[in-house]
């Protein structure tokens, strides 16, 4: 833990020095002819958003510098009983239940069936989807050793959303289990990884939660494949840096993690915030709060980026991503209500602030841009001389913070011969460059979506918890326009205003304004998939070049279940298949 404290101090110090140094340079260049209140505001905004930008880069650099780690896995059968929980909410039942089937087969093949039970916890409120869940649950009961080990229950009222779903299971059935592996409906984990996590809990009685770093799989669209490549190639290094800083007060991302049931039950009762949503009500981003409560109670919360065998699926287009991001935004902004909770660890409070700033930074960037346009529009014969260098400082600082870690990861992967699983060094390099280009084009659109979300929440508009359309892929141009026309209008307005009043600033605003104006086209274009049967040149990942057996097995099960004419018939009484737990 002392090492984590030292790493945190060094990382915070580096981020603070770099951001303050950048702010000092920025102020020096924009204030050559005298410092105005607008200059102070711009410098403050630059320093604040710059800190969080640099902070993300520092985590990546730490992960790159970290020596490779191999976690020794204790052998033998886990001692504790583990419940593997999959909450579902209006999901594709065949897809979700086939993942349970694949994980069950993996565990059975390891001879560990008597140590692991599965519970599908349904919050589904659409009757047609609920009927499908019963159908596929009966199919699931025909899997090896499923009887008496695989359960299903559906809540009549989904109080507290996913957190309430888990809490309901813990309160009703948690006493039968030592550990609970919490999944999402799109989660898939290898049986060996699950067993290793349970043994880690056995070996360390202070370990309250162990989080894996899931890899995104099964992406088909350009948007999804960019996210899949980034998660597989870039994210592990950022996760390693995060793990070094978090130490025993690590994050919890709400899924693909194992918890110690007694610790979770005793420590993680969530408060219902006073007032109505979006500011009050049930906490949507419950995972960060639960991690903080475990840490407060003295339990270790760790993330292990080296475990492997942990997978999830991601959205296939930016609209679906923005819908999910809107919920995360509302949940993270709720954390300001729990920042002052008694006895929380300092690092837990910092994690809350970090989550809040992940969304608050977007409107702050827009404020910086607006202040820069205003400064350029004010009459001053010295404006361009004084501000050209300041804009260069801003552009170079952003580029270094965003790009340097990615290129260092490419170099580290090349030296470590890691690129083979990503199609070779040339394809990996082209993929990294393409990821940077596409992310840069989509960044202004996400900036607008996140800023809109923050403003809506501040004005009391509740986004709720919409069901995730995980299979929603290609977006038509008309649908994309309906979702983002206002982004186009905003981009055009910025360009028109700057052309009329601050023409010297236009070249610097084009990388932001043009993608915003073309938002419908970019959203529609990136939602398209590659032609069937073609091997993609870019964004190849190891899950495609050498897919893990659990991935292959799940796909085989899903296809065998859903191919024409093979789906099981509905039971005569839909409720007879449900086993309540």
């Amino acid at each position: 833990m002392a090492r984590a404290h030292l790493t945190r101090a060094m990382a915070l110090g580096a981020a603070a020095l770099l951001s303050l140094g950048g702010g000092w340079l920025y102020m020096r260049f924009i204030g050559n002819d005298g410092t105005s209140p607008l200059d102070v505001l711009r410098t403050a905004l630059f320093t604040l958003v710059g800190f969080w930008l640099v902070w993300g880069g520092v985590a990546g650099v730490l992960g790159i510098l970290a020596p490779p780690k191999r976690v020794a896995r204790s052998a033998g059968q886990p001692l504790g009983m583990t419940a593997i929980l999959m909450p579902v909410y209006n999901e594709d039942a065949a897809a979700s239940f086939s993942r349970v089937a694949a994980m069950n087969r993996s565990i059975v093949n390891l001879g560990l069936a008597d140590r692991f039970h599965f519970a599908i916890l349904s919050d589904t409120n659409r009757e047609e989807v609920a009927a499908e869940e019963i159908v596929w649950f009966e199919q699931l009961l025909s899997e090896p050793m499923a009887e008496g080990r695989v359960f299903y229950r559906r809540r009549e009222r989904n109080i507290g959303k996913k957190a309430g779903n888990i809490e309901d299971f813990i309160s009703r059935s948690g006493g039968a289990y030592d550990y609970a592996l919490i999944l999402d409906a799109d989660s898939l984990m290898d049986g060996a990884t699950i067993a290793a996590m349970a043994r880690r809990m056995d070996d360390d009685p202070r370990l309250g939660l162990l989080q894996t770093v899931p890899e995104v799989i099964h992406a088909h669209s350009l948007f999804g494949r960019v996210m899949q490549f980034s998660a597989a190639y870039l994210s592990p290094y950022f996760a390693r840096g995060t793990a070094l800083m978090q130490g025993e007060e690590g994050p919890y991302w709400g899924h693909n993690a194992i918890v110690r049931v007694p610790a979770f039950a005793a420590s993680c009762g969530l408060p219902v915030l006073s007032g109505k949503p979006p500011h009050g009500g049930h906490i949507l981003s419950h995972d960060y709060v639960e991690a903080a409560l475990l840490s407060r109670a003295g339990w270790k919360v760790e993330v292990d980026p080296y475990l492997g065998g942990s997978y999830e699926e991601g959205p296939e287009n930016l609209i679906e991503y923005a819908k999910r991001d809107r919920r995360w935004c509302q949940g993270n902004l709720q954390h300001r209500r729990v920042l002052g909770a008694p006895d929380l660890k300092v690092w837990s409070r910092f994690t809350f602030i970090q989550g809040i700033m992940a969304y608050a930074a977007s409107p702050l960037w827009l404020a910086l841009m607006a202040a820069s346009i205003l400064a350029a529009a004010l009459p001053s014969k010295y404006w361009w001389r004084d501000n050209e260098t300041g804009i260069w400082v801003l552009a170079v600082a952003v580029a270094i913070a965003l790009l340097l870690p990615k290129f260092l990861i490419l170099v580290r992967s090349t030296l470590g011969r890691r690129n083979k699983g990503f199609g070779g060094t040339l394809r990996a390099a082209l993929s990294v460059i393409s990821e940077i280009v596409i992310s840069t084009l989509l960044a202004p659109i996400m900036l607008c979506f996140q800023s809109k979300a923050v403003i809506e929440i501040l004005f009391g508009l509740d986004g709720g918890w919409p069901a995730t359309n995980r299979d929603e892929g290609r977006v038509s141009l008309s649908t994309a326009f309906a979702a983002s026309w206002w982004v186009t209008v905003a981009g055009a307005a910025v360009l028109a205003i700057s052309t009329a009043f601050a023409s010297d600033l236009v070249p610097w605003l084009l990388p932001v304004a043009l993608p915003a104006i073309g938002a419908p086209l970019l959203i529609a274009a990136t939602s398209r998939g590659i032609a069937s049967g073609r091997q993609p040149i870019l964004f190849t990942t190891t899950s495609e070049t050498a897919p893990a057996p659990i991935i292959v097995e799940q796909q085989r099960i899903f296809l065998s279940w859903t191919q024409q004419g093979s789906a099981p018939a509905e039971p005569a009484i839909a409720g007879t298949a449900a086993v309540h737990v």
Side-chain angles (χ1 to χ4, degrees):
M1 193 61 186
R3 180 183 178 186
H5 285 303
L6 178 60
T7 305
R8 292 173 193 172
M10 293 174 60
L12 285 169
L17 285 174
L18 288 171
S19 57
L20 289 172
W24 177 79
L25 284 174
Y26 187 69
M27 172 64 87
R28 181 179 179 185
F29 288 119
I30 68 173
N32 274 345
D33 58 348
T35 302
S36 68
L38 189 57
D39 293 334
V40 175
L41 173 63
R42 293 161 64 197
T43 302
L45 289 170
F46 174 84
T47 305
L48 181 58
V49 297
F51 174 83
W52 295 106
L53 199 64
V54 171
W55 176 250
V58 167
V61 173
L62 277 175
I64 295 164
L65 297 177
K69 180 182 178 183
R70 294 290 178 266
V71 178
R73 295 185 174 184
S74 58
Q77 181 169 301
L79 301 177
M81 283 291 299
T82 301
I84 302 175
L85 311 180
M86 178 179 279
V88 295
Y89 176 55
N90 297 324
E91 306 282 349
D92 180 339
S96 297
F97 287 39
S98 69
R99 296 181 187 108
V100 173
M103 289 184 280
N104 177 61
R105 291 186 185 185
S106 182
I107 287 171
V108 169
N109 290 339
L110 290 172
L112 302 177
D114 62 331
R115 296 287 91 189
F116 297 93
H117 290 175
F118 290 85
I120 299 169
L121 310 176
S122 175
D123 264 354
T124 293
N125 56 14
R126 291 167 51 191
E127 292 301 326
E128 66 276 15
V129 178
E132 291 176 2
E133 290 175 357
I134 298 300
V135 169
W136 292 112
F137 176 65
E138 286 208 336
Q139 176 71 22
L140 189 57
L141 289 179
S142 66
E143 287 294 308
M145 302 182 70
E147 286 284 354
R149 292 181 48 254
V150 180
F151 309 99
Y152 168 89
R153 76 101 171 90
R154 180 184 171 208
R155 290 200 301 171
E156 295 181 357
R157 299 174 60 201
N158 57 345
I159 298 172
K161 311 302 180 183
K162 179 182 176 180
N165 201 354
I166 299 297
E167 181 181 343
D168 180 81
F169 175 86
I170 296 293
S171 63
R172 292 174 180 268
S173 306
Y177 300 96
D178 301 285
Y179 317 126
L181 181 72
I182 300 173
L183 306 174
D184 266 353
D186 61 354
S187 296
L188 182 68
M189 295 188 68
D190 183 75
T193 298
I194 295 172
M197 295 173 74
R199 287 193 290 264
R200 286 272 291 275
M201 301 297 280
D202 288 339
D203 294 341
D204 188 350
R206 286 193 56 236
L207 185 59
L209 186 151
L210 178 63
Q211 172 72 62
T212 66
V213 179
E215 180 181 341
V216 178
I217 57 174
H218 297 327
H220 302 290
S221 69
L222 178 58
F223 180 87
R225 291 189 63 78
V226 169
M227 180 177 291
Q228 177 174 284
F229 176 80
S230 179
Y233 194 83
L234 302 173
S235 294
Y237 288 96
F238 287 89
R240 291 174 191 177
T242 299
L244 287 174
M245 289 186 288
Q246 299 279 7
E248 297 177 0
E249 299 167 13
Y252 171 40
W253 299 320
H255 59 93
N256 293 45
I258 192 169
V259 301
R260 189 176 301 274
V261 171
F264 196 84
S267 309
C268 294
L270 294 176
V272 178
L273 301 177
S274 61
K276 296 181 180 180
H279 306 293
H282 292 280
I283 298 175
L284 297 186
S285 294
H286 57 91
D287 36 20
Y288 277 25
V289 179
E290 289 160 345
L293 294 176
L294 280 170
S295 293
R296 183 175 71 173
W299 296 99
K300 294 165 62 174
V301 179
E302 296 181 349
V303 57
D304 189 340
Y306 301 94
L307 267 173
S310 179
Y311 309 96
E312 64 176 335
E313 296 184 12
E316 292 283 358
N317 60 70
L318 193 143
I319 294 176
E320 282 302 310
Y321 180 88
K323 284 170 55 179
R324 185 175 69 171
D325 200 57
R326 171 63 170 80
R327 168 168 56 84
W328 290 344
C329 177
Q330 182 168 324
N332 282 20
L333 292 185
Q334 284 179 316
H335 289 166
R336 70 191 189 279
R337 300 280 306 277
V338 298
L339 264 174
D343 301 324
L344 291 182
K345 300 289 182 66
V346 173
W347 191 253
S348 297
R349 299 186 200 276
F350 179 80
T351 301
F352 288 148
I353 295 173
Q354 180 177 287
I356 292 168
M357 287 303 301
Y359 293 96
S362 290
L364 292 177
W365 275 112
L366 291 182
L368 176 59
M369 183 173 66
S372 299
I373 295 173
L374 178 59
L378 292 176
S380 171
K381 62 180 181 180
Y382 301 111
W383 181 87
W384 187 244
R385 185 196 72 188
D386 295 339
N387 287 270
E388 181 180 12
T389 309
I391 293 176
W392 271 107
V393 170
L394 175 61
V396 171
V398 171
I400 290 176
L402 291 178
L403 304 185
L404 181 61
K406 295 182 180 182
F407 283 119
L408 289 177
I409 289 171
L410 176 61
V411 172
R412 171 73 183 269
S413 299
T414 301
L415 296 177
R417 299 182 180 180
R418 175 174 175 252
N419 291 334
K420 182 178 180 181
F422 296 88
T425 296
L426 178 59
R427 289 170 70 177
L430 290 174
S431 296
V432 169
I433 294 170
S434 299
E435 189 273 342
I436 291 171
V437 171
I438 294 172
S439 297
T440 301
L441 289 173
L442 296 180
I445 306 173
M446 281 307 305
L447 189 76
C448 290
F449 276 122
Q450 289 184 343
S451 298
K452 178 174 177 283
V454 172
I455 293 169
E456 287 177 345
I457 292 164
L458 292 179
F459 278 90
L461 297 178
D462 178 23
W465 191 301
T468 302
N469 295 322
R470 303 184 195 277
D471 298 324
E472 192 71 25
R474 184 168 176 173
V475 175
S476 67
L477 187 59
S478 60
T479 301
F481 182 80
S484 62
W485 63 268
W486 59 274
V487 179
T488 298
V489 171
V494 166
L495 196 58
I497 292 170
S498 59
T499 300
F501 300 103
S503 57
D504 289 331
L505 202 59
V506 169
W508 300 94
L509 292 175
L510 287 177
V512 176
L514 290 182
I517 292 171
L521 290 173
L522 287 171
I523 292 172
T526 56
S527 73
R528 296 174 180 267
I530 61 172
S532 179
R534 288 175 54 188
Q535 177 66 33
I537 297 175
L538 297 176
F539 309 122
T540 301
T541 64
T542 51
S543 65
E544 298 169 326
T545 58
I550 189 71
I551 298 176
V552 176
E553 181 71 356
Q554 187 270 327
Q555 284 291 90
R556 192 188 69 78
I557 294 171
F558 178 70
L559 291 175
S560 70
W561 282 11
T562 57
Q563 64 185 359
Q564 188 174 3
S566 68
E570 290 194 24
I573 302 175
T576 57
V579 179
H580 289 264
V581 293

